[in-house]
Amino acid sequence: MTMIQCISPIDGSVYAERPAMSLEAATEAVARVRKAQKAWARRPLEERVQLVLKGVARINEMSDEVVPELAHMMGRPVRYGGEYKGFNERSNYVAAIAADALAPLVVEASNNFERRIEREPHGVVFVIAPWNYPYMTAINTIAPALMAGNTVVIKHATQTLLVGERMVRAFVEAGVPDDVFINLFLDHQTTSALIAAGNFNFINFTGSVEGGRSIERAAAGTFAGLGLELGGKDPGYVMEDADLDAAVDTLMDGATYNSGQCCCGIERIYVHESLYDAFVEKSVAWVSNYKLGNPLDPETTLGPMANKRFAKVVREQIADAVSKGAKALVDPKLFPADDGGAYIMPQVLVNVDHSMAFMKDETFGPAVGIMKVKSDEEALGLMNDSPYGLTASLWTQDPERAARIGREIETGTVFMNRADYLDPALCWTGVKETGKGGSLSVLGFQNLTRPKSYHLKKVTK
């Protein structure tokens, strides 16, 4: 029997393990979920919405277990208290718009005809969730999918092995029927086989670009819908009229919070030459205030990365950039807890350019490069010089300028004077190798349902 193990970044020990399901057992479980879907969809929408909200509330009640569990599994310091703010905000918002988002589009309601378009659930939705924000990323799809009348199967990343199990337990305890929402422990081969066999009507995956390609290959020919949120290299651009202190505070937090392991974290910053020196000085001071250490210690502000192999990538990118002329500005003596493994200090690099992997490839760690620019045109060219496009953060006092530049940026979301935030009222989407599809907002409900047209001719005497 193959065991799936979560290795804790705290000390390298096995924190949790579960047996991987066989293909036969997993296929049987998904069949039960499919059988349960029609009855779930027949329930009134408001009943489904309230059951989902009760499941969300039940997870909130588990905070004393969830927060240290996350620290053990993926290294986030307990002082930050889990993911409840975004988790609740997203759930509550989609609940508030569900009725309107799923309402029929009435074309005609006359004595002769009823013509309308209704939103119908796809059927069984498969959520393959990541480890970096394991609750928030999962709920983006789980909540609206269940509210819309789909049943849901979740498979969580190995690094956060227990999250799917805990979410399902909470929802079932809150009253969601068995087989409407289930968790499966699967290896990659079984996951691909389940997809290829056409077991799912919609698949949402958050993870690496290569992982997304694997999902697409497995789903080829099944005609299942796909939502893919993949890699990122999100830029910030600080213009000459920016609020300097606000830009430093937000962009450095966006680059390093959660040890830089954020889907929309800031990985590269372009600063107008008039503010460049001051921005760099303030940024280095900001980052130098972190306390790196055990995430179970309430004094720790920066925990280990989720796995030492992730930290290895960051160190290699930094070393390669330095070998090509970059300069690392944060003093290693301030971070004695950096052990060369999962515990890694934050870093700010200057003298960087786009010949370096550090400025082109996804880093996904607590390190950021800063480049000086002379104009909007130069900054725009650099921001678009990337295979990814999730968010871009613009810093200026001029909304019209931000909108004008934003229209030219190849990205899914344009921020002005903020960063690293997911607004549930807006569609969360990306372009290029960041993926396709979109979650949350009204459009998220549309992606999790299909249109069904009714053309009813009335008999008249």
Side-chain angles (χ1 to χ4, degrees):
M1 178 180 294
T2 301
M3 299 298 292
I4 301 175
Q5 294 184 329
C6 168
I7 306 299
S8 175
I10 292 177
D11 56 10
S13 64
V14 177
Y15 177 69
E17 59 182 0
R18 295 289 188 273
M21 294 183 72
S22 68
L23 177 58
E24 180 182 20
T27 301
E28 291 175 357
V30 176
R32 293 194 297 272
V33 173
R34 183 167 298 282
K35 185 177 180 180
Q37 189 269 322
K38 293 293 186 184
W40 173 248
R42 283 194 294 269
R43 291 193 179 208
L45 171 60
E46 184 57 24
E47 183 179 330
R48 298 195 302 265
V49 168
Q50 290 305 315
L51 283 171
V52 170
L53 291 179
K54 287 178 181 178
V56 168
R58 182 72 188 98
I59 292 173
N60 277 258
E61 293 168 357
M62 298 175 173
S63 175
D64 289 345
E65 300 166 89
V66 165
V67 172
E69 196 170 77
L70 285 173
H72 279 288
M73 289 191 294
M74 51 76 66
R76 185 182 303 126
V78 294
R79 68 179 288 130
Y80 297 124
E83 302 170 17
Y84 287 107
K85 181 180 178 181
F87 183 77
N88 294 334
E89 181 183 37
R90 299 171 193 189
S91 304
N92 291 335
Y93 184 79
V94 295
I97 68 168
D100 288 339
L102 297 170
L105 175 61
V106 178
V107 178
E108 181 179 357
S110 68
N111 292 331
N112 297 319
F113 288 97
E114 289 184 22
R115 294 186 295 142
R116 63 182 180 273
I117 303 169
E118 296 187 0
R119 305 300 310 185
E120 185 160 295
H122 286 306
V124 180
V125 172
F126 188 28
V127 177
I128 307 174
W131 51 263
N132 62 322
Y133 282 94
Y135 284 94
M136 286 200 295
T137 52
I139 206 65
N140 291 351
T141 302
I142 291 168
L146 289 173
M147 291 175 186
N150 299 283
T151 47
V152 174
V153 177
I154 184 170
K155 174 214 171 296
H156 232 291
T158 300
Q159 197 64 52
T160 43
L161 186 64
L162 303 182
V163 172
E165 183 179 70
R166 181 171 291 282
M167 291 185 77
V168 168
R169 190 184 100 198
F171 275 57
V172 171
E173 288 177 0
V176 174
D178 291 339
D179 295 332
V180 165
F181 178 30
I182 71 166
N183 173 71
L184 299 181
F185 297 107
L186 304 170
D187 59 26
H188 293 317
Q189 183 177 353
T190 304
T191 300
S192 294
L194 280 174
I195 294 171
N199 283 288
F200 307 108
N201 303 101
F202 187 89
I203 302 158
N204 180 267
F205 171 78
T206 305
S208 69
V209 175
E210 284 308 309
R213 290 190 175 113
S214 295
I215 299 297
E216 279 202 323
R217 285 193 294 268
T222 68
F223 307 116
L226 295 178
L228 304 173
E229 186 196 325
L230 310 175
K233 193 73 180 174
D234 289 7
Y237 172 33
V238 181
M239 303 176 211
E240 71 279 357
D241 65 338
D243 181 327
L244 181 60
D245 289 334
V248 169
D249 185 61
T250 300
L251 292 173
M252 287 304 106
D253 182 69
T256 55
Y257 182 76
N258 204 40
S259 297
Q261 300 165 134
C262 302
C263 298
C264 56
I266 296 296
E267 297 209 358
R268 52 199 174 106
I269 302 173
Y270 308 101
V271 183
H272 189 269
E273 58 186 359
S274 63
L275 294 182
Y276 178 80
D277 290 339
F279 183 89
V280 169
E281 181 181 0
K282 288 175 177 287
S283 294
V284 172
W286 196 101
V287 168
S288 296
N289 283 325
Y290 270 117
K291 180 181 178 182
L292 176 66
N294 190 317
L296 297 172
D297 180 350
E299 298 300 315
T300 293
T301 55
L302 190 72
M305 292 191 68
N307 192 292
K308 61 183 180 181
R309 73 177 186 274
F310 305 148
K312 181 174 182 286
V313 171
V314 180
R315 291 190 177 94
E316 287 174 348
Q317 284 193 7
I318 292 173
D320 174 71
V322 169
S323 74
K324 294 176 179 176
K327 184 176 180 181
L329 298 182
V330 179
D331 187 353
K333 294 178 182 177
L334 297 174
F335 296 93
D338 188 324
D339 63 353
Y343 290 85
I344 180 172
M345 64 175 282
Q347 192 54 270
V348 173
L349 269 64
V350 294
N351 299 343
V352 290
D353 60 51
H354 281 219
S355 70
M356 303 169 183
F358 183 74
M359 294 297 286
K360 294 280 285 184
D361 298 342
E362 186 171 41
T363 302
F364 218 62
V368 64
I370 305 175
M371 287 181 65
K372 182 189 300 184
V373 296
K374 294 182 179 180
S375 66
D376 291 349
E377 290 73 23
E378 183 182 5
L380 181 61
L382 290 167
M383 284 189 283
N384 283 341
D385 184 28
S386 172
Y388 306 110
L390 183 58
T391 78
S393 178
L394 305 179
W395 290 81
T396 177
Q397 305 294 326
D398 186 346
E400 291 184 4
R401 182 181 180 188
R404 183 176 67 253
I405 296 170
R407 281 189 286 271
E408 300 298 322
I409 302 174
E410 297 161 353
T411 191
T413 295
V414 176
F415 290 113
M416 186 182 85
N417 299 334
R418 77 177 312 176
D420 192 25
Y421 172 69
L422 192 160
D423 183 343
L426 301 177
C427 186
W428 192 242
T429 185
V431 298
K432 299 191 284 191
E433 290 190 6
T434 290
K436 65 180 182 180
S439 61
L440 297 173
S441 77
V442 171
L443 298 182
F445 273 109
Q446 292 180 5
N447 286 332
L448 291 165
T449 56
R450 67 179 182 86
K452 188 172 185 177
S453 296
Y454 288 81
H455 189 127
L456 310 180
K457 182 178 180 181
K458 299 177 180 179
V459 175
T460 56
K461 297 181 180 179

